[in-house]
mmCIF file of all heavy atoms in Angstrom:
data_model
loop_
_atom_site.group_PDB
_atom_site.id
_atom_site.type_symbol
_atom_site.label_atom_id
_atom_site.label_comp_id
_atom_site.label_asym_id
_atom_site.label_seq_id
_atom_site.Cartn_x
_atom_site.Cartn_y
_atom_site.Cartn_z
ATOM 1 N N GLY A 4 46.352 -57.500 149.905
ATOM 2 C CA GLY A 4 47.294 -56.565 150.501
ATOM 3 C C GLY A 4 47.186 -56.572 152.011
ATOM 4 O O GLY A 4 46.687 -57.534 152.603
ATOM 5 N N SER A 5 47.647 -55.492 152.611
ATOM 6 C CA SER A 5 47.662 -55.380 154.072
ATOM 7 C C SER A 5 46.777 -54.232 154.522
ATOM 8 O O SER A 5 46.736 -53.180 153.886
ATOM 9 C CB SER A 5 49.093 -55.143 154.556
ATOM 10 O OG SER A 5 49.921 -56.236 154.240
ATOM 11 N N VAL A 6 46.112 -54.440 155.637
ATOM 12 C CA VAL A 6 45.194 -53.435 156.158
ATOM 13 C C VAL A 6 45.112 -53.602 157.666
ATOM 14 O O VAL A 6 45.361 -54.699 158.201
ATOM 15 C CB VAL A 6 43.810 -53.578 155.491
ATOM 16 C CG1 VAL A 6 43.145 -54.877 155.899
ATOM 17 C CG2 VAL A 6 42.920 -52.384 155.780
ATOM 18 N N GLN A 7 44.751 -52.528 158.353
ATOM 19 C CA GLN A 7 44.556 -52.610 159.792
ATOM 20 C C GLN A 7 43.181 -53.177 160.105
ATOM 21 O O GLN A 7 42.270 -53.107 159.268
ATOM 22 C CB GLN A 7 44.712 -51.225 160.409
ATOM 23 C CG GLN A 7 46.132 -50.681 160.339
ATOM 24 C CD GLN A 7 46.266 -49.359 161.062
ATOM 25 O OE1 GLN A 7 45.304 -48.615 161.235
ATOM 26 N NE2 GLN A 7 47.486 -49.060 161.507
ATOM 27 N N PRO A 8 43.023 -53.716 161.293
ATOM 28 C CA PRO A 8 41.691 -54.195 161.689
ATOM 29 C C PRO A 8 40.646 -53.101 161.534
ATOM 30 O O PRO A 8 40.893 -51.937 161.860
ATOM 31 C CB PRO A 8 41.890 -54.579 163.154
ATOM 32 C CG PRO A 8 43.333 -54.953 163.251
ATOM 33 C CD PRO A 8 44.032 -54.003 162.318
ATOM 34 N N GLY A 9 39.497 -53.497 161.011
ATOM 35 C CA GLY A 9 38.430 -52.538 160.730
ATOM 36 C C GLY A 9 38.468 -51.979 159.333
ATOM 37 O O GLY A 9 37.517 -51.322 158.898
ATOM 38 N N GLY A 10 39.548 -52.228 158.624
ATOM 39 C CA GLY A 10 39.696 -51.704 157.276
ATOM 40 C C GLY A 10 38.986 -52.545 156.231
ATOM 41 O O GLY A 10 38.308 -53.533 156.554
ATOM 42 N N SER A 11 39.173 -52.129 154.977
ATOM 43 C CA SER A 11 38.491 -52.784 153.864
ATOM 44 C C SER A 11 39.468 -53.102 152.742
ATOM 45 O O SER A 11 40.461 -52.394 152.549
ATOM 46 C CB SER A 11 37.387 -51.875 153.304
ATOM 47 O OG SER A 11 36.415 -51.585 154.274
ATOM 48 N N LEU A 12 39.158 -54.155 152.024
ATOM 49 C CA LEU A 12 39.888 -54.521 150.816
ATOM 50 C C LEU A 12 38.901 -55.091 149.817
ATOM 51 O O LEU A 12 37.860 -55.629 150.204
ATOM 52 C CB LEU A 12 40.960 -55.571 151.112
ATOM 53 C CG LEU A 12 42.225 -55.125 151.853
ATOM 54 C CD1 LEU A 12 43.059 -56.355 152.228
ATOM 55 C CD2 LEU A 12 43.042 -54.163 151.008
ATOM 56 N N THR A 13 39.263 -54.990 148.542
ATOM 57 C CA THR A 13 38.444 -55.581 147.492
ATOM 58 C C THR A 13 39.295 -56.532 146.660
ATOM 59 O O THR A 13 40.389 -56.177 146.217
ATOM 60 C CB THR A 13 37.852 -54.512 146.565
ATOM 61 O OG1 THR A 13 37.070 -53.610 147.328
ATOM 62 C CG2 THR A 13 36.976 -55.150 145.497
ATOM 63 N N LEU A 14 38.792 -57.735 146.493
ATOM 64 C CA LEU A 14 39.435 -58.722 145.641
ATOM 65 C C LEU A 14 38.656 -58.834 144.335
ATOM 66 O O LEU A 14 37.425 -58.742 144.334
ATOM 67 C CB LEU A 14 39.470 -60.089 146.325
ATOM 68 C CG LEU A 14 40.052 -60.134 147.739
ATOM 69 C CD1 LEU A 14 40.059 -61.573 148.235
ATOM 70 C CD2 LEU A 14 41.425 -59.527 147.792
ATOM 71 N N SER A 15 39.384 -59.029 143.258
ATOM 72 C CA SER A 15 38.744 -59.209 141.956
ATOM 73 C C SER A 15 39.232 -60.491 141.314
ATOM 74 O O SER A 15 40.331 -60.976 141.601
ATOM 75 C CB SER A 15 39.046 -58.024 141.039
ATOM 76 O OG SER A 15 38.525 -56.835 141.565
ATOM 77 N N CYS A 16 38.401 -61.022 140.445
ATOM 78 C CA CYS A 16 38.726 -62.269 139.750
ATOM 79 C C CYS A 16 38.102 -62.188 138.365
ATOM 80 O O CYS A 16 36.881 -62.051 138.242
ATOM 81 C CB CYS A 16 38.179 -63.453 140.544
ATOM 82 S SG CYS A 16 38.435 -65.067 139.797
ATOM 83 N N GLU A 17 38.933 -62.257 137.369
ATOM 84 C CA GLU A 17 38.452 -62.157 135.987
ATOM 85 C C GLU A 17 38.584 -63.501 135.292
ATOM 86 O O GLU A 17 39.628 -64.157 135.379
ATOM 87 C CB GLU A 17 39.244 -61.105 135.222
ATOM 88 C CG GLU A 17 38.756 -60.900 133.790
ATOM 89 C CD GLU A 17 39.488 -59.777 133.068
ATOM 90 O OE1 GLU A 17 40.251 -59.050 133.738
ATOM 91 O OE2 GLU A 17 39.306 -59.635 131.853
ATOM 92 N N LEU A 18 37.513 -63.902 134.628
ATOM 93 C CA LEU A 18 37.533 -65.132 133.854
ATOM 94 C C LEU A 18 37.998 -64.843 132.440
ATOM 95 O O LEU A 18 37.548 -63.884 131.812
ATOM 96 C CB LEU A 18 36.141 -65.766 133.770
ATOM 97 C CG LEU A 18 35.720 -66.676 134.908
ATOM 98 C CD1 LEU A 18 35.470 -65.865 136.157
ATOM 99 C CD2 LEU A 18 34.469 -67.459 134.523
ATOM 100 N N SER A 19 38.868 -65.672 131.939
ATOM 101 C CA SER A 19 39.235 -65.587 130.541
ATOM 102 C C SER A 19 39.071 -66.955 129.897
ATOM 103 O O SER A 19 39.249 -67.981 130.541
ATOM 104 C CB SER A 19 40.683 -65.107 130.381
ATOM 105 O OG SER A 19 41.585 -66.052 130.904
ATOM 106 N N GLY A 20 38.684 -66.929 128.649
ATOM 107 C CA GLY A 20 38.536 -68.171 127.915
ATOM 108 C C GLY A 20 37.156 -68.780 127.964
ATOM 109 O O GLY A 20 36.862 -69.724 127.234
ATOM 110 N N ARG A 21 36.326 -68.280 128.836
ATOM 111 C CA ARG A 21 34.956 -68.776 128.942
ATOM 112 C C ARG A 21 34.052 -67.623 129.335
ATOM 113 O O ARG A 21 34.490 -66.555 129.720
ATOM 114 C CB ARG A 21 34.853 -69.896 129.990
ATOM 115 C CG ARG A 21 35.567 -71.176 129.628
ATOM 116 C CD ARG A 21 34.873 -71.920 128.515
ATOM 117 N NE ARG A 21 35.450 -73.232 128.274
ATOM 118 C CZ ARG A 21 36.475 -73.472 127.465
ATOM 119 N NH1 ARG A 21 37.043 -72.471 126.794
ATOM 120 N NH2 ARG A 21 36.932 -74.702 127.312
ATOM 121 N N THR A 22 32.733 -67.888 129.268
ATOM 122 C CA THR A 22 31.740 -66.876 129.611
ATOM 123 C C THR A 22 31.293 -67.071 131.050
ATOM 124 O O THR A 22 30.883 -68.170 131.431
ATOM 125 C CB THR A 22 30.539 -66.969 128.662
ATOM 126 O OG1 THR A 22 30.990 -66.790 127.312
ATOM 127 C CG2 THR A 22 29.511 -65.911 128.998
ATOM 128 N N LEU A 23 31.335 -65.992 131.819
ATOM 129 C CA LEU A 23 30.981 -66.082 133.223
ATOM 130 C C LEU A 23 29.564 -66.614 133.436
ATOM 131 O O LEU A 23 29.301 -67.296 134.416
ATOM 132 C CB LEU A 23 31.128 -64.697 133.870
ATOM 133 C CG LEU A 23 30.763 -64.580 135.344
ATOM 134 C CD1 LEU A 23 31.636 -65.493 136.193
ATOM 135 C CD2 LEU A 23 30.901 -63.136 135.805
ATOM 136 N N ASP A 24 28.653 -66.316 132.504
ATOM 137 C CA ASP A 24 27.258 -66.770 132.612
ATOM 138 C C ASP A 24 27.148 -68.263 132.903
ATOM 139 O O ASP A 24 26.195 -68.708 133.535
ATOM 140 C CB ASP A 24 26.519 -66.507 131.291
ATOM 141 C CG ASP A 24 26.203 -65.049 131.082
ATOM 142 O OD1 ASP A 24 26.540 -64.251 131.971
ATOM 143 O OD2 ASP A 24 25.636 -64.722 130.031
ATOM 144 N N ASP A 25 28.100 -69.030 132.425
ATOM 145 C CA ASP A 25 28.008 -70.487 132.499
ATOM 146 C C ASP A 25 28.591 -71.062 133.781
ATOM 147 O O ASP A 25 28.619 -72.288 133.951
ATOM 148 C CB ASP A 25 28.731 -71.115 131.306
ATOM 149 C CG ASP A 25 28.082 -70.755 129.976
ATOM 150 O OD1 ASP A 25 26.865 -70.505 129.976
ATOM 151 O OD2 ASP A 25 28.807 -70.716 128.965
ATOM 152 N N TYR A 26 29.059 -70.200 134.704
ATOM 153 C CA TYR A 26 29.805 -70.690 135.860
ATOM 154 C C TYR A 26 29.288 -70.119 137.173
ATOM 155 O O TYR A 26 28.997 -68.922 137.285
ATOM 156 C CB TYR A 26 31.284 -70.335 135.726
ATOM 157 C CG TYR A 26 31.955 -71.095 134.617
ATOM 158 C CD1 TYR A 26 31.898 -70.640 133.305
ATOM 159 C CD2 TYR A 26 32.603 -72.299 134.867
ATOM 160 C CE1 TYR A 26 32.470 -71.371 132.276
ATOM 161 C CE2 TYR A 26 33.193 -73.022 133.857
ATOM 162 C CZ TYR A 26 33.121 -72.551 132.556
ATOM 163 O OH TYR A 26 33.683 -73.273 131.552
ATOM 164 N N ALA A 27 29.213 -71.015 138.160
ATOM 165 C CA ALA A 27 29.088 -70.564 139.537
ATOM 166 C C ALA A 27 30.472 -70.112 139.999
ATOM 167 O O ALA A 27 31.496 -70.599 139.507
ATOM 168 C CB ALA A 27 28.578 -71.694 140.416
ATOM 169 N N ILE A 28 30.489 -69.191 140.952
ATOM 170 C CA ILE A 28 31.749 -68.638 141.438
ATOM 171 C C ILE A 28 31.832 -68.791 142.943
ATOM 172 O O ILE A 28 30.863 -68.540 143.660
ATOM 173 C CB ILE A 28 31.881 -67.145 141.079
ATOM 174 C CG1 ILE A 28 31.898 -66.955 139.560
ATOM 175 C CG2 ILE A 28 33.136 -66.556 141.724
ATOM 176 C CD1 ILE A 28 33.094 -67.583 138.874
#
């Protein structure tokens, strides 16, 4: 999204079809 300088954002990423344990991200 959009934010002013100094602000914060959070990105998320969900794995489907496999187990996260088996992968570097």
Side-chain angles (χ1 to χ4, degrees):
S5 297
V6 67
Q7 292 185 335
S11 299
L12 286 172
T13 302
L14 308 182
S15 297
C16 178
E17 183 176 351
L18 274 71
S19 65
R21 293 289 187 273
T22 301
L23 178 60
D24 286 359
D25 296 332
Y26 292 85
I28 297 296

